[in-house]
């Protein structure tokens, strides 16, 4: 096994092998604490299984169905034609002479290119994002929020929403020990939050959504969570995901108002993750932006409460995850902090310009009377209706299974049902829901994420599944989950 | 000015104004320490001046010439036609039926799309990057390095090179006080490094390049710098930029060998920033990759020295900064650390897919016999020859100015001349080179970055200018700098 000579080991063939500079014991300890279940061990195993299938290995299933991640195009959702036409025109402006492209796509492409240095998407943009895109975003927000004003100077384009969320959290983190920054996040949560907090060394403060009341948010639970946290850290921000991921609930206007009042009273910075703002399916549900509600509550709130809202090109009817487009709007951010934010984002130069172009199209789609309008509306409606139908189907089928209980998927792209795991299985496994999902994968080829990756009340078990597979595949998936659950329950009872 | 009531202030109109949660005093202190001169105050002023000019304000110049940032397309450099054709095809695959596109562009686009989920660039890729692209990168590296093997598993696609550099630095940072991680960087350096180290709270260890010897790297200076640093921190990595930014030198094979031997002896992790690997102009100079030299030094080194090398789509003949494409290759990284790296990058889901596609084209351009080959070679040659000519021109003209002394621009895209600033000006200003550059901007409209943004020996002053403006504009720029310098010297003598 070699003799150690100083920092060198002599191996048998005489070649010295130095001890590594960077090992698991000497690496950044905060990185080690990071976890991200959406791409965790289940997903890695799913990829192995796919490879084994392609190599002809025999499995109890013909294909792996991945319902682990909100990756719409990978599940067959089609891109919006207009968006892609404009992106092609921007990529290769020679096409502006091509008569088969509609005029509105061309004029949109020309406008984007004119905002790029040297008329090329290959130039860096301003670090905050292309000026004209930020203006379009501001106009979109004002329209969405029934006229509440929006300042383009408060818009920062980002590399997907994740980038913006991490950047804002980074600004907030300071202090040590009992004064260390704490950030309130919902449980269940989207694991970007827990991962970012681990990496930044901030304290994660859990507040639990009310599963019995359709994953709604109770102010009394916020208060409990905050009061406890104040005994060991300095809570500074409250993160909300609406519509919810992984829980699929859509918050009522009243709830949002209560949250804002709570944040004001307790002096918390509000972070509103609103990337599913167009994904609302349930009757009687409607998306209300935190910004709009804040401004409707009058100047006592709208002049004081610090709020940042995130949006993205990755979800809604677009599903353009690969382009990594997004924006954030900051409200009431201290001007000196804003200057620091601008400086911080400048180090990474700029968000990807194709993603910025795409964000521009999302906030400024074809208008009535323009040649692409009809097709755009048709494509968008088709996608959103299909999602609404699949949300309903998922809820219905899962609720027919004894031992699975599923809240309505009011919005977003996920169902997060509660599953009853028999005592025997709980005793057998360290993480019973991981055990369940791994078994499901091995036996059926269905890839879901265990609830423990998002957080859940102790003693309860869940999984997250996306509603994105095409309807026929989703039906197969749901049937297989049903059969598996029955078999699993029998086996461990 | 309002009366304080608890955390509220009452303003004159009776509306309460709460103290902000996030202020300059309560924000993350490490973020405040971050500086990034390439987009600092000079550049902000340049943007104001542009706006003022466009509003008809009278200035002593007709336009602002920006030579502050390596933004090739913004300076008029043309994109490679083939690259943009493939990107258009990937964005809007309908175009695969368009007979005006060359067949090799189509087959390349088909191959990229086949590697994307649902055949769409809108899908997330694997976090490490698209599999086929990583394989193409590995083949490119093997070709570049005369057959030295390259494992696609060691390739990580990144969001520009900056993303990879920050990620690797993040892994390396640990310890507190005298055991805090120190990272050796050249002075002058590219300020991403100092900014990232400030943000991560790592110790910046400066080693000085030898301006008298054409900005070469002396091992004795590395040793001095390391020995001093060991007294107050734990030096763990050595960063090299070759070809140099901002200094434009190209390292000799011998120098690289010496650096590797030094890193091995001193147990330092090597980080080689090689984004300018195709930007070599000076006769007798040649790019040698650290990877290749490492492997040519035999197993004692190639089996032990930990190395990461960075590349990007933003520089060389491509200049596609806006797409934020890049890759890194890791050599001898501990396997557990590698697993942590993969986990860490998965939190951000994936690098932008259009940037990955572009990286694929860079490492796998049209081959002899393919329809686009001739045009590709012509375009690449034109761009690189123009850069070589401008590198020469810059050196020549600047060296005719008394009080400016300029090393040859052997490679990269920058000149970093030493400027003599008269004593009177030094006394008048806190940062004499900032003072000089600001005056230059106000009087001539030329935007350069002061040397202090990159680091320089105490008592010396420099500026960085890119050689990117079109030749006629570069000539104007150089003439104006010359005249300004003479006037400035006179004024303060």
């Amino acid at each position: 096994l070699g003799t150690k000579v100083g920092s060198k080991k002599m191996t048998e063939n005489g070649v010295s092998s130095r001890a590594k500079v960077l090992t698991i014991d000497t690496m950044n300890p905060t990185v080690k604490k990071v976890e991200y279940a959406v791409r965790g061990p289940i997903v890695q195993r799913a990829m192995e299984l796919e490879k084994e299938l392609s190599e002809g290995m025999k499995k109890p299933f013909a294909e792996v169905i991945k319902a682990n991640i909100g990756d719409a195009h990978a599940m067959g959702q089609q891109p919006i034609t207009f968006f892609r036409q404009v992106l092609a025109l921007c990529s290769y402006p020679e096409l502006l002479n091509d008569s088969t492209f509609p005029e509105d796509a061309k004029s949109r492409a020309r406008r984007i290119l004119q905002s790029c240095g040297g008329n090329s998407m290959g130039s860096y943009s301003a670090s905050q994002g292309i000026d004209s895109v930020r203006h379009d975003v501001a106009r979109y927000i004002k329209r969405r929020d029934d006229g509440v004003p929006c300042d383009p100077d408060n818009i920062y384009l980002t590399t997907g929403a994740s980038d913006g969320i991490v950047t804002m959290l980074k600004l907030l983190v300071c202090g040590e020990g009992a004064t260390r920054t704490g950030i309130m996040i919902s449980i269940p949560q989207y694991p970007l939050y827990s991962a970012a907090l681990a990496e930044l060394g901030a304290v994660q403060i859990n507040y639990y959504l009310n599963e019995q009341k359709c994953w709604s948010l109770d102010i009394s639970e916020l208060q409990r969570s905050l009061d406890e946290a104040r005994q060991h850290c300095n809570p500074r921000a409250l993160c909300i995901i609406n519509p919810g991921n992984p829980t699929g609930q859509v918050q009522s206007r009243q709830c949002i108002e209560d949250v804002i009042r709570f944040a004001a009273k307790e002096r918390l910075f509000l972070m509103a993750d609103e990337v599913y703002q167009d994904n609302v399916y349930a009757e009687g549900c409607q998306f209300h932006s935190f910004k709009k509600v804040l401004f409707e509550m009058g100047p006592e709130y709208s002049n004081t409460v610090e709020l940042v809202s995130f949006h993205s090109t990755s979800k809604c009817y677009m599903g353009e995850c690969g382009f990594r487009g997004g924006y954030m709007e900051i409200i009431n951010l201290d001007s000196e902090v804003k200057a620091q934010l601008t400086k911080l984002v400048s180090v990474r130069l700029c968000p990807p310009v194709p993603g910025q172009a795409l964000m521009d199209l999302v906030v400024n789609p074809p208008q009535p009377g323009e040649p692409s309008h009809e097709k755009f509306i048709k494509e968008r409606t088709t996608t959103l209706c299909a999602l609404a139908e699949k949300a309903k189907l998922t809820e219905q089928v899962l609720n027919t299974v004894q031992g699975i209980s599923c809240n309505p998927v009011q919005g977003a792209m996920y169902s997060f049902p509660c599953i009853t795991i028999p005592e025997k299985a709980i005793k057998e496994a360290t993480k019973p829901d991981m055990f369940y999902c791994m078994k499901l994968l091995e036996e059926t080829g269905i890839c879901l994420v265990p609830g423990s990756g998002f957080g859940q009340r102790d003693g309860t078990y869940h999984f997250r599944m996306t509603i994105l597979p095409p309807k026929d595949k989703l039906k197969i998936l749901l049937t297989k989950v049903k059969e598996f659950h029955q078999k699993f329950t029998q086996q461990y009872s």
Side-chain angles (χ1 to χ4, degrees), chain A:
Chain A
L1 284 154
T3 324
K4 264 200 166 173
V5 186
S7 69
K8 287 188 189 183
K9 282 191 290 183
M10 297 303 288
T11 57
E12 280 165 40
N13 59 11
V15 173
S16 72
S17 90
R18 284 180 196 81
K20 300 240 183 237
V21 175
L22 186 59
T23 67
I24 194 82
D25 296 323
T26 64
M27 68 174 282
N28 189 335
T30 63
V31 171
K32 278 192 271 186
K33 289 185 198 142
V34 169
E35 281 183 35
Y36 189 69
V38 175
R39 293 206 154 169
I42 299 262
V43 185
Q44 279 170 30
R45 179 64 189 139
M47 282 158 68
E48 281 170 28
L49 285 170
E50 274 185 330
K51 206 170 159 233
E52 289 172 15
L53 275 176
S54 75
E55 285 161 359
M57 218 181 277
K58 248 196 120 177
K59 299 282 165 195
F61 45 86
E63 67 167 332
V64 172
I65 304 181
K66 283 194 210 149
N68 62 297
I69 188 168
D71 193 0
H73 291 196
M75 291 289 104
Q77 185 179 308
Q78 290 307 301
I80 298 288
T81 303
F82 178 78
F83 293 177
R84 295 309 197 89
Q85 286 174 331
V86 178
L87 285 169
L89 289 160
C90 288
S91 298
Y92 187 50
E94 280 288 307
L95 290 171
L96 288 165
N97 305 317
D98 185 328
S99 59
T100 62
F101 279 81
E103 275 310 314
D104 50 352
K106 287 185 186 175
S107 72
R108 215 60 65 92
R110 273 192 210 100
R111 184 158 172 275
I112 292 168
L113 289 174
Q114 275 160 15
S115 312
C116 294
N119 299 318
S120 168
M121 284 209 295
S123 298
Y124 292 122
S125 76
S127 300
Q128 196 173 343
I130 297 172
D131 205 58
S132 69
V133 179
R134 290 192 294 108
H135 277 80
D136 285 347
V137 168
R139 273 189 286 267
Y140 160 80
I141 293 174
K142 189 178 170 187
R143 221 161 46 230
R144 182 197 69 188
D145 291 344
D146 299 335
V148 173
C150 179
D151 183 349
D153 212 37
N154 288 340
I155 306 299
Y156 284 73
L157 297 176
T158 58
T159 307
S162 306
D163 170 45
I165 293 167
V166 173
T167 300
M168 290 309 296
L169 289 173
K170 196 178 280 171
L171 291 180
L172 280 156
V173 174
C174 65
E176 290 303 327
T179 66
R180 188 69 179 161
T181 292
I183 307 284
M184 301 180 71
I185 63 171
S186 63
I187 297 296
Q189 54 117 15
Y190 173 57
L192 168 72
Y193 290 91
S194 50
L197 295 179
E199 199 188 312
L200 293 166
V203 180
Q204 175 181 327
I205 306 171
N206 297 336
Y207 66 89
Y208 290 87
L209 299 176
N210 190 336
E211 183 162 15
Q212 276 64 50
K213 288 206 252 162
C214 205
W215 294 117
S216 64
L217 190 161
D218 294 341
I219 299 298
S220 59
E221 167 59 10
L222 285 185
Q223 191 73 59
R224 177 208 61 78
S225 155
L226 180 68
D227 291 347
E228 281 183 30
R230 286 223 162 107
Q231 295 174 18
H232 59 89
C233 70
N234 177 20
R236 302 190 71 197
L238 168 55
C239 301
I240 307 278
I241 312 175
N242 177 50
N245 175 6
T247 42
Q249 87 285 13
V250 177
Q251 292 185 342
S252 67
R253 200 191 168 290
Q254 183 61 51
C255 172
I256 292 170
E257 204 175 309
D258 293 345
V259 169
I260 291 172
R261 206 167 279 120
F262 178 81
K265 174 171 79 86
E266 300 292 351
R267 293 194 65 238
L268 294 167
F269 195 107
L270 268 176
M271 294 180 57
D273 181 338
E274 303 181 318
V275 300
Y276 298 99
Q277 54 190 267
D278 290 329
N279 295 112
V280 176
Y281 318 116
E283 260 176 64
C285 283
Q286 195 190 329
F287 171 72
H288 302 274
S289 79
F290 268 75
K291 162 89 179 287
K292 181 174 179 240
V293 176
L294 177 67
F295 275 72
E296 288 171 351
M297 287 167 73
E300 189 186 342
Y301 294 94
S302 65
N303 287 343
T304 61
V305 174
E306 292 148 86
L307 167 69
V308 56
S309 158
F310 305 95
H311 196 15
S312 159
T313 58
S314 303
K315 310 298 169 187
C316 301
Y317 62 91
M318 304 80 82
E320 296 276 14
C321 313
F323 282 81
R324 315 307 298 120
Y327 75 75
M328 58 183 182
E329 180 188 16
I330 49 166
I331 315 284
N332 291 322
L333 190 69
D334 176 84
S335 60
E336 285 175 301
V337 176
K338 186 169 182 300
Q340 292 286 327
L341 169 62
T342 304
K343 178 194 73 178
L344 182 62
V345 298
S346 78
V347 177
R348 294 298 187 90
L349 297 159
C350 69
V353 174
Q356 294 188 50
L358 193 51
M359 194 75 246
D360 191 53
L361 302 170
V362 170
V363 295
N364 188 17
Q367 298 306 305
E370 288 187 327
S372 303
H373 182 254
E374 199 178 327
K375 188 170 192 178
F376 166 72
I377 295 294
K378 200 177 151 209
E379 290 177 343
R380 183 177 69 175
T381 310
T382 305
T383 297
L384 289 175
C385 286
L387 286 170
E389 201 185 343
K390 292 189 279 190
K392 197 101 198 154
L393 179 73
T394 302
E395 179 201 344
Q396 281 171 346
V397 176
L398 289 178
N399 278 329
T400 64
V401 189
Q402 195 166 10
I404 295 187
S405 152
C406 176
N407 272 320
V409 182
Q410 299 173 330
M413 298 177 164
Y414 316 98
S415 171
F416 196 71
C418 185
I419 50 175
T420 308
I421 297 186
E423 280 304 317
K424 224 171 107 187
I426 293 173
K427 274 181 195 147
E428 199 162 304
T430 359
K431 284 190 174 178
D433 54 359
M434 172 73 88
F435 178 73
Y436 178 98
C437 288
M438 196 62 100
K439 257 186 123 48
L440 173 72
L441 175 64
E442 295 288 351
E443 291 181 20
T444 66
I446 291 169
C447 177
L448 307 179
V449 189
S452 47
F454 305 88
Q456 53 200 353
R457 278 198 185 273
D458 280 350
T460 70
Y461 302 104
H462 302 76
F463 58 72
R464 186 185 84 162
M465 62 167 280
T466 75
I467 58 167
L468 292 175
K471 199 175 161 190
D472 54 336
K473 218 169 252 188
L474 184 64
K475 278 184 179 163
I476 298 172
L477 185 155
L478 290 166
T479 309
K480 284 188 171 187
V481 168
K482 184 174 183 163
E483 289 166 5
F484 170 81
H485 189 85
Q486 288 163 344
K487 206 181 122 199
F488 182 88
T489 306
Q490 230 165 14
Q491 196 181 343
Y492 288 94
S493 287

